[in-house]
Amino acid sequence: VVISASHNPYYDNGVKLFGPDGKKISDEIQKDIEAYMAMPMSTVNSDDIGRVTRIEGAAERYIEFCKGRFPSRYSLESMRIVVDCANGATYHIAPKVFRELGAEVIVIGDKPNGSNINEGVGATSPGALVDAVKHHEADLGIAFDGDGDRVIMVDEKGQIVDGDELLYIIACYRKSQSLLEGGVVGTLMSNLGLERA
């Protein structure tokens, strides 16, 4: 179970459910759960419910997983990167990933307090990232949203590179390397220009 407002303010928190395979549950199972939620609820004694356990080393394992996806032929050494964590889920992971890959990292949006998620920072409010990239003369900026599943980038001039542009850049690169198999999947909100390009 993930409690998240995604890219919205904290008061829009909702629940995302994942199956044992780590993927979101099907719409059918979600509807069944919602039907149960609409029924009258009863409670059980606290001794009769499960216990929360912490998975030790989970953050470190995830950092290693992320670093393992970065091609070894590239290096972030000598790069200055601003990372905007939206005061959300990535605040203690993303900066470490980029630092451990060799970058000099300037972090913003890394002080969550329970109600400041996405507040004036993050992928849906990239102004702070633009300002920080310009101020620190960074090579680029990366902003996540509150739950870390959206990203916006900013180039060294402070120009925003949105999701459609990122898809285009990645697709063009993969095509140039003969790695693009089939088409590119977007959403209904993807720009028509991306589709035509």
Side-chain angles (χ1 to χ4, degrees):
V1 177
V2 174
I3 299 172
S4 171
S6 185
H7 55 282
N8 299 308
Y10 76 96
Y11 47 78
D12 285 341
N13 269 340
V15 177
K16 288 183 183 178
L17 301 173
F18 293 84
D21 59 358
K23 296 180 180 175
K24 287 177 78 171
I25 60 171
S26 70
D27 289 344
E28 182 178 295
I29 293 173
Q30 189 168 322
K31 285 179 184 171
D32 289 344
I33 292 170
E34 288 172 1
Y36 280 112
M37 297 293 292
M39 294 178 173
M41 291 194 181
S42 60
T43 59
V44 296
N45 217 338
S46 295
D47 292 339
D48 295 331
I49 61 175
R51 298 284 178 255
V52 173
T53 57
R54 182 174 297 278
I55 301 173
E56 296 300 328
E60 291 77 17
R61 289 198 306 250
Y62 185 62
I63 288 167
E64 289 305 314
F65 169 82
C66 292
K67 287 170 28 184
R69 299 302 169 270
F70 190 78
S72 59
R73 65 185 177 274
Y74 297 119
S75 173
L76 296 182
E77 288 182 23
S78 79
M79 290 194 75
R80 180 178 295 155
I81 301 174
V82 177
V83 178
D84 180 347
C85 299
N87 293 317
T90 63
Y91 84 97
H92 67 296
I93 300 288
K96 288 180 183 176
V97 170
F98 292 107
R99 280 190 187 108
E100 291 184 21
L101 288 170
E104 175 190 344
V105 178
I106 295 108
V107 188
I108 62 173
D110 63 334
K111 304 212 175 10
N113 65 16
S115 61
N116 65 347
I117 191 167
N118 301 309
E119 190 176 277
V121 290
T124 55
S125 296
L129 180 65
V130 169
D131 292 344
V133 166
K134 289 178 179 178
H135 175 76
H136 293 284
E137 298 180 347
D139 296 297
L140 70 124
I142 301 169
F144 298 97
D145 73 336
D147 64 354
D149 66 357
R150 287 178 190 232
V151 67
I152 290 279
M153 293 186 160
V154 171
D155 69 14
E156 75 282 0
K157 296 175 185 168
Q159 296 176 347
I160 296 170
V161 183
D162 69 21
D164 285 344
E165 291 169 305
L166 291 171
L167 280 174
Y168 178 76
I169 291 165
I170 293 166
C172 288
Y173 173 77
R174 290 185 63 83
K175 184 175 181 183
S176 75
Q177 302 296 304
S178 300
L179 297 172
L180 187 63
E181 298 176 16
V184 175
V185 177
T187 70
L188 291 174
M189 296 182 70
S190 291
N191 187 303
L192 181 60
L194 171 65
E195 185 177 340
R196 288 179 175 161

